């Protein structure tokens, strides 16, 4: 097959001249869009179904950080000396390359941000950030690398602020964090323990889960979370998050009233996303001159089947919800019980 099947395109956003890089898997079954503003992934589709949330009121013209998708947080998570979540998400990045894996059909793109006068005005260090994304048919890998190109050490925190689309926050679950310590951002950052292995959402949730924290109650084992965290919304498919080299994990949903107070959040937007954010935020990363640091995430769509270990872990019982209740699967493969013919017609393009 010729290279045109990859349908790589660089298109201009309508609002202003912020470029968006569009990638398509060779099979046509998945696609990705990355705005050069912040190298923010703004769309990840599998079988034409959007996996990420992007607020209808998000600014895509470079006037503010993009509300949704996968904004990059660097060199500061949260509030602090720099502006909230640092400057990487509001800088213009360079699109370095796009490559296609001929065997698998996966698409790999690389973006770069180098220290410049604007970043030095906020943070007096020289660095090179590389953001590499690999789009598979049912998975997405995003990896951030930082090289200290200056003469002195520096510290930073970093995070991939992924907004996962869910059908309804009332049915959303984040699994795999049972017995993990967290700092509660809604309660003066007090350290607490996640008791239930399945986190659900009633009101605001803003928690920094910590990987390397000793269990003070027993004084022995380290509390650690299962490397695989999954996000479901009541159907029989979920998205599995595998963190690579990131130490912490933030789970955030603003709840109704905070959501309403955010100028770039669509009406009742909090109902349609959960942020699950791999990051190294509790303790800064230190980088010596010429040294390099790298961390990332692998997001994979998973279809859950009754009787499997995953189904037990996610739903706490043998059977997963029946075919009348397949919100994610409906969105992904278009299975509709009332219209079985749709299965046969399902054209993933
Ligand atoms: C999360 C933080 O990572 O990002 C929250 O834990 C914060 O405290 C949220 O509210 C959104 O931040 P922002 O700057 O994009 O509104």
């Amino acid at each position: 097959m010729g290279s045109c099947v990859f349908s790589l395109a660089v298109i201009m956003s309508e609002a202003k001249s912020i470029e968006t890089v569009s990638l398509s898997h060779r099979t046509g079954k998945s696609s990705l869009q990355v705005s050069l503003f912040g190298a923010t992934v703004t769309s990840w589709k599998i079988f034409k179904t959007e996996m990420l949330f992007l607020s209808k009121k998000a600014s895509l013209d470079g006037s503010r950080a993009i509300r949704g998708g996968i904004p990059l947080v660097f060199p500061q998570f949260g509030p602090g000396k720099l502006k909230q979540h640092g400057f990487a998400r509001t800088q213009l990045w360079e699109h370095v390359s796009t490559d296609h894996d001929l065997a698998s059909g996966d698409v790999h793109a690389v973006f770069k941000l180098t220290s410049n006068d604007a970043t030095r005005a906020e943070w007096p260090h020289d660095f090179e950030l590389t953001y590499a994304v690999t789009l598979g048919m049912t998975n997405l890998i995003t990896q951030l690398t930082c090289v200290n190109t200056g003469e002195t050490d520096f510290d930073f925190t970093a995070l991939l602020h992924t907004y996962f689309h869910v059908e309804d926050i009332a049915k959303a679950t984040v699994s795999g964090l049972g017995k993990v310590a967290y700092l509660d951002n809604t309660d003066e950052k007090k350290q607490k323990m996640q008791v239930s292995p399945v986190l659900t959402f009633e009101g605001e949730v803003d928690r920094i889960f910590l990987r390397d924290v000793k269990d003070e109650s027993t004084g022995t084992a380290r509390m650690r979370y299962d490397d695989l965290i999954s996000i479901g919304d009541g159907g029989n498919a979920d998205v599995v998050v595998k963190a690579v080299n990131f130490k912490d994990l933030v789970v955030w949903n603003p709840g109704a009233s905070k959501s309403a107070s955010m100028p770039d959040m669509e009406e009742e937007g909090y109902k349609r996303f959960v942020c699950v954010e791999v990051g190294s935020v509790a303790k800064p990363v230190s980088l010596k001159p010429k040294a390099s640091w790298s961390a990332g995430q692998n997001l994979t769509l998973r279809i859950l089947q009754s009787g499997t270990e995953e189904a037990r872990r996610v739903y706490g019982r043998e059977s997963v919800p029946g075919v009348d209740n397949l919100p994610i699967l409906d969105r992904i493969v278009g299975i509709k019980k009332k219209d079985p013919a749709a299965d046969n017609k399902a054209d993933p393009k």
Side-chain angles (χ1 to χ4, degrees):
M1 282 197 253
S3 60
C4 59
V5 293
F6 298 113
S7 35
L8 165 71
V10 177
I11 54 173
M12 305 293 270
S13 105
E14 281 173 13
K16 267 193 198 167
S17 56
I18 304 272
E19 283 179 17
T20 298
V21 175
S22 298
L23 309 172
S24 289
H25 195 265
R26 188 183 59 202
T27 57
K29 290 183 177 169
S30 62
S31 64
L32 196 75
Q33 298 217 335
V34 185
S35 167
L36 292 192
F37 187 64
T40 310
V41 173
T42 52
S43 167
W44 170 36
K45 286 186 181 166
I46 300 178
F47 298 96
K48 288 210 287 195
T49 296
E50 185 56 66
M51 308 305 291
L52 302 176
F53 169 85
L54 178 67
S55 167
K56 292 190 179 85
K57 286 195 191 168
S59 305
L60 300 172
D61 60 359
S63 56
R64 65 189 303 157
I66 295 173
R67 177 68 62 201
I70 314 181
L72 289 173
V73 170
F74 175 93
Q76 173 192 289
F77 168 72
K81 284 189 191 153
L82 310 185
K83 63 188 175 193
Q84 161 97 347
H85 287 342
F87 50 70
R89 64 179 180 165
T90 52
Q91 281 282 305
L92 263 188
W93 288 55
E94 181 192 339
H95 175 209
V96 179
S97 61
T98 298
D99 295 297
H100 309 101
D101 184 311
L102 291 176
S104 64
D106 292 359
V107 193
H108 181 70
V110 176
F111 303 86
K112 193 165 83 175
L113 175 68
T114 309
S115 45
N116 55 53
D117 289 348
T119 66
R120 276 185 224 104
E122 290 190 52
W123 196 60
H125 300 290
D126 284 316
F127 64 88
E128 186 177 276
L129 282 183
T130 307
Y131 190 47
V133 301
T134 302
L135 176 71
M137 198 169 81
T138 56
N139 78 315
L140 171 65
I141 299 171
T142 70
Q143 186 185 35
L144 185 65
T145 299
C146 178
V147 179
N148 182 345
T149 54
E151 304 295 325
T152 53
D153 297 12
F154 60 67
D155 291 350
F156 64 89
T157 47
L159 167 139
L160 306 179
H161 199 304
T162 309
Y163 288 74
F164 292 94
H165 177 255
V166 294
E167 281 290 294
D168 179 357
I169 191 68
K171 292 184 191 158
T173 55
V174 177
S175 305
L177 292 165
K179 298 211 177 117
V180 179
Y182 65 89
L183 305 177
D184 192 344
N185 254 341
T186 66
D187 188 13
E188 300 168 333
K189 285 211 166 151
K190 283 186 192 143
Q191 188 172 314
K192 301 180 181 175
M193 156 97 89
Q194 173 67 34
V195 178
S196 164
V198 180
L199 178 57
T200 52
F201 298 83
E202 285 152 24
E204 184 185 5
V205 171
D206 192 352
R207 300 179 182 182
I208 304 170
F209 288 91
L210 307 165
R211 191 182 297 255
D212 289 325
V213 172
K214 283 213 167 121
D215 183 347
E216 300 299 345
S217 58
T218 64
T220 53
R222 268 175 195 277
M223 283 190 281
R224 47 190 299 181
Y225 61 79
D226 185 332
D227 270 346
L228 300 180
I229 308 301
S230 60
I231 300 109
D233 64 0
N236 71 348
D238 63 5
V239 177
V240 179
V241 179
K242 169 99 175 81
V244 181
N245 202 32
F246 274 121
K247 300 287 179 213
D248 312 306
L249 185 112
V250 176
V251 178
W252 175 64
N253 180 280
S257 66
K258 272 215 175 140
S259 177
S261 72
M262 298 164 76
D264 54 353
M265 181 60 76
E266 67 187 46
E267 203 176 328
E268 300 203 313
Y270 74 100
K271 289 185 174 171
R272 292 179 280 280
F273 74 87
V274 171
C275 281
V276 175
E277 313 159 23
V278 293
S280 286
V281 297
K283 274 190 224 149
V285 178
S286 292
L287 215 52
K288 296 198 174 302
K290 311 276 182 297
S292 147
W293 163 94
S294 206
Q297 64 179 351
N298 187 347
L299 312 177
T300 309
L301 174 71
R302 179 176 61 177
I303 307 296
L304 298 168
Q305 287 173 349
S306 293
T308 60
E309 185 55 38
E310 287 79 12
R312 274 191 289 278
R313 191 162 66 84
V314 174
Y315 295 105
R317 59 176 197 262
E318 284 288 323
S319 61
V320 300
V323 287
D324 285 327
N325 182 19
L326 300 179
I328 298 186
L329 206 59
D330 271 359
R331 288 192 279 118
I332 290 166
V333 290
I335 292 175
K336 300 242 187 311
K337 197 179 175 224
K338 287 184 188 125
D339 180 14
D343 285 5
N344 306 327
K345 281 190 264 157
D347 175 7
K349 281 198 182 169

